[in-house]
Amino acid sequence: MEIYKKDKKVRSKKLKARVDLTAMVSVSFLLIVFFMVTTELGKPKAIEIGLPDKYPGCGGYGGCSKGTEERILTVLLDDNDRIVFYSGFPEWSMDTAKFLNYGKNGIRQELFNRNKTILEYSAAIGKPKNGAIVIIKPSKKSNYKNLVDILDEMAIAKIETYTIVNEFTPEESKLLAAR
């Protein structure tokens, strides 16, 4: 005669749960390093441009710093690969603005000659590293290629100080519209 044990339950042995956190800690450190590096690289880098004072009390534009207005060169980028170039301040220079093309005999030659003249003048007054300050102003009609081309021209002409500005004065807007 066999006897069955009906009400007896078989219990399994409980194991202690152990979670390995090594992989999670490694991934956390990688993410922290990644975000630290990308935020540092993503910070905008800017330089200050020392332009002459344009307000009364200093004698108007350029009154306090003789020779500085000659250092300022402005390049306006327009559609169809057109460039408008002038030096000094727009109130004084609109009559002498030049319409140039890209390339060896265009804007590159003008930038090179002006920078050379400015460096010679700066060396004569005891400031040999004061080269040209170029303000690049791309219009809404210009394309990305024009901006890249003018930045290449800056490197070729060895212009060290330049900035890109997207604000136009009323005189510059009239000049581009009349062209």
Side-chain angles (χ1 to χ4, degrees):
M1 170 172 250
E2 286 182 39
I3 300 176
Y4 293 100
K5 298 181 182 176
K6 278 184 163 182
D7 295 330
K8 191 170 187 182
K9 293 182 180 176
V10 179
R11 295 189 177 224
S12 62
K13 207 178 202 184
K14 286 192 176 181
L15 298 174
K16 291 184 179 179
R18 183 167 181 248
V19 178
D20 187 16
L21 298 177
T22 307
M24 190 171 72
V25 170
S26 298
V27 169
S28 299
F29 280 120
L30 285 173
L31 286 173
I32 289 170
V33 169
F34 172 76
F35 286 117
M36 285 173 49
V37 169
T38 55
T39 55
E40 184 63 30
L41 294 176
K43 289 181 183 174
K45 309 274 190 278
I47 60 169
E48 300 258 341
I49 296 181
L51 298 176
D53 194 359
K54 65 178 182 177
Y55 300 105
C58 201
Y61 278 108
C64 291
S65 51
K66 175 95 174 93
T68 306
E69 67 255 10
E70 289 87 16
R71 289 179 59 201
I72 300 171
L73 309 175
T74 304
V75 177
L76 306 176
L77 305 178
D78 203 12
D79 62 342
N80 298 328
D81 298 336
R82 291 184 293 188
I83 298 173
V84 180
F85 175 84
Y86 66 89
S87 70
F89 297 105
E91 292 83 11
W92 302 342
S93 302
M94 288 299 113
D95 296 334
T96 60
K98 295 182 180 182
F99 300 96
L100 301 170
N101 296 317
Y102 291 95
K104 185 174 163 182
N105 296 324
I107 189 70
R108 184 181 311 161
Q109 188 66 38
E110 189 70 32
L111 289 171
F112 184 76
N113 290 340
R114 293 287 181 107
N115 194 37
K116 182 179 175 187
T117 304
I118 291 167
L119 285 172
E120 288 172 356
Y121 175 76
S122 296
I125 63 170
K127 297 180 180 180
K129 297 201 180 223
N130 286 352
I133 300 169
V134 179
I135 301 172
I136 302 168
K137 295 186 175 186
S139 71
K140 292 179 182 177
K141 296 177 183 177
S142 68
N143 57 32
Y144 185 72
K145 179 187 177 300
N146 296 138
L147 185 60
V148 171
D149 289 344
I150 198 67
L151 293 176
D152 288 342
E153 297 293 346
M154 295 291 129
I156 294 169
K158 296 184 174 105
I159 305 280
E160 295 179 4
T161 307
Y162 57 88
T163 186
I164 301 170
V165 180
N166 63 354
E167 298 172 4
F168 285 85
T169 63
E171 292 87 3
E172 292 168 339
S173 298
K174 288 177 189 173
L175 184 64
L176 287 177
R179 173 83 163 101

